[in-house]
Amino acid sequence: MKKREWLIVILPLLATWFVDRVTKMWAADLKQILSFGPLHFVLHHNHGAMLGLFSDLPSVLRIVSLSTGGAFLLCTYALIQYLLPIKSLTLRSGLSILIGGIIGNVTDRILWGYVVDFIVIGTPSLSSPAFNMADALQWVGYGLIVYAIIREGELLWPENNVRKQYWVNMSFQLKYCFMLMAVGLSLTVISMVFSYTYLRVTIQELVGNNQFLMNKFLVPFIITFSVICVAFCAILFAVGRLISHRIAGPLYAFERFLDEALAGVAKPLKLRTGDEFRHLEELAEQINGRLNEIKRERTVNVVEFSETSEDKKKGSAE
């Protein structure tokens, strides 16, 4: 996409995060309930995820895992935006609004350890759970994503744009995937050792060698970090397969094109959307053009040779 289109895609994320921050700063000063018909504003601290989920987990496990999960989703969002085969602004903007809302709540957890909710819709007998602008805008993002998938599904998964082979060059692709996984695993192990050591030494400095507190804080930390590590490596494997497919696929198609060209079958080379080495299409077209010129030259030479032979035969007969 062009730089201007990338700006249009990123702007909804920043706007969603900004609106969420401004409204939460206003809600932090609420001292009493404000009601406007079925719409009510009341300050509520949500220590869980959306609509209070996971609020019963230990604080260390809850805050660290939910905050890290938000950062994890932000990285996944960047990968998806890069790997999407089409430039659908509706789909990309929906993803931006969704991630902007998630990052808004993650910011709360990083700064305060809880999320500020302040919007309630309904009556005293029947009302919605408390939520905030980030939660509301996330549903707008979901709606745009679903709308784009329904409307532009053929562009996302066109039948003529999908290779029948899941693994074009298995040895190369697996090597690429495992290399990415090795890099990711190395980074997570280094981060885990540093974080675990820092957390353990900090606890010892504060409360001494208290085994109960050590287990209370360190065990959830190791479990959470291990889950994140496994998920991170799995995503890296999937991304590696996709990227290597976009590399191996064009090379395989070009190799097949050369085999057919040498066999005298002139077919155009057509790569898939998102493939690397798109310039191979132009090169294949030039090769086909040059082969056609050689064929024409050979045909002219054969005709001229035949005419010369006929003239010689006639001269000998005379």
Side-chain angles (χ1 to χ4, degrees):
M1 297 196 303
K2 299 178 180 178
K3 292 182 179 180
R4 177 176 172 273
E5 293 172 335
W6 276 114
L7 179 63
I8 295 174
V9 168
I10 299 300
L11 189 60
L13 188 153
L14 300 176
T16 301
W17 181 85
F18 179 76
V19 169
D20 179 62
R21 299 312 303 161
V22 170
T23 54
K24 285 176 178 175
M25 290 174 64
W26 170 80
D29 295 329
L30 285 174
K31 303 298 182 182
Q32 57 184 2
I33 300 176
L34 297 179
S35 298
F36 301 91
L39 179 63
H40 311 280
F41 297 110
V42 53
L43 181 61
H44 176 73
H45 293 167
N46 177 9
H47 292 273
M50 182 182 289
L51 304 179
L53 296 176
F54 310 120
S55 57
D56 296 331
L57 292 176
S59 59
V60 172
L61 179 60
R62 182 183 66 249
I63 296 172
V64 172
S65 59
L66 292 178
S67 300
T68 307
F72 191 77
L73 286 175
L74 182 61
C75 296
T76 305
Y77 157 81
L79 284 173
I80 292 174
Q81 290 284 19
Y82 173 73
L83 296 174
L84 273 179
I86 62 174
K87 67 173 186 178
S88 170
L89 295 181
T90 303
L91 177 60
R92 293 179 182 272
S93 298
L95 287 170
S96 297
I97 293 174
L98 173 61
I99 296 300
I102 293 175
I103 297 304
N105 287 335
V106 169
T107 303
D108 286 3
R109 294 190 183 95
I110 293 174
L111 296 178
W112 304 318
Y114 55 83
V115 174
V116 173
D117 290 333
F118 60 94
I119 303 174
V120 177
I121 298 177
T123 62
S125 58
L126 181 63
S127 63
S128 68
F131 61 95
N132 53 48
M133 287 301 298
D135 298 331
L137 290 173
Q138 282 181 54
W139 288 105
V140 175
Y142 287 126
L144 290 174
I145 292 171
V146 172
Y147 173 77
I149 290 175
I150 294 175
R151 182 181 178 183
E152 302 170 335
E154 294 182 357
L155 296 176
L156 281 170
W157 300 290
E159 294 183 0
N160 296 328
N161 193 47
V162 178
R163 290 188 176 89
K164 296 180 181 180
Q165 292 178 270
Y166 193 77
W167 296 95
V168 179
N169 187 329
M170 182 172 289
S171 60
F172 166 75
Q173 290 183 258
L174 286 176
K175 178 182 177 181
Y176 196 93
C177 294
F178 286 128
M179 284 177 60
L180 277 181
M181 287 182 62
V183 173
L185 183 61
S186 300
L187 291 175
T188 52
V189 168
I190 292 172
S191 300
M192 183 172 67
V193 171
F194 172 81
S195 304
Y196 175 85
T197 306
Y198 185 87
L199 182 60
R200 185 182 184 89
V201 172
T202 301
I203 295 174
Q204 287 178 336
E205 289 288 334
L206 293 175
V207 299
N209 193 19
N210 188 317
Q211 196 61 41
F212 173 78
L213 291 178
M214 289 286 187
N215 294 333
K216 179 181 178 181
F217 288 99
L218 295 179
V219 172
F221 172 81
I222 294 174
I223 294 174
T224 304
F225 214 112
S226 299
V227 172
I228 293 173
C229 177
V230 172
F232 184 58
C233 290
I235 289 180
L236 283 179
F237 183 88
V239 170
R241 194 211 66 82
L242 180 58
I243 295 178
S244 63
H245 192 272
R246 294 183 176 183
I247 295 173
L251 297 179
Y252 170 77
F254 189 69
E255 180 182 355
R256 187 175 57 184
F257 162 80
L258 290 178
D259 289 338
E260 292 175 347
L262 291 174
V265 181
K267 290 183 179 180
L269 175 66
K270 199 66 178 177
L271 300 180
R272 271 58 175 176
T273 302
D275 278 349
E276 301 292 339
F277 309 116
R278 296 301 297 268
H279 65 281
L280 291 178
E281 290 182 345
E282 298 179 3
L283 180 58
E285 186 177 351
Q286 294 174 10
I287 292 174
N288 276 333
R290 182 54 183 160
L291 290 175
N292 290 332
E293 290 179 4
I294 293 173
K295 288 180 181 180
R296 285 193 296 268
E297 291 175 359
R298 286 181 177 179
T299 302
V300 171
N301 291 335
V302 169
V303 172
E304 291 178 350
F305 178 77
S306 299
E307 292 177 351
T308 303
S309 299
E310 291 293 332
D311 293 339
K312 287 182 179 180
K313 288 180 181 179
K314 290 180 180 178
S316 300
E318 294 176 354

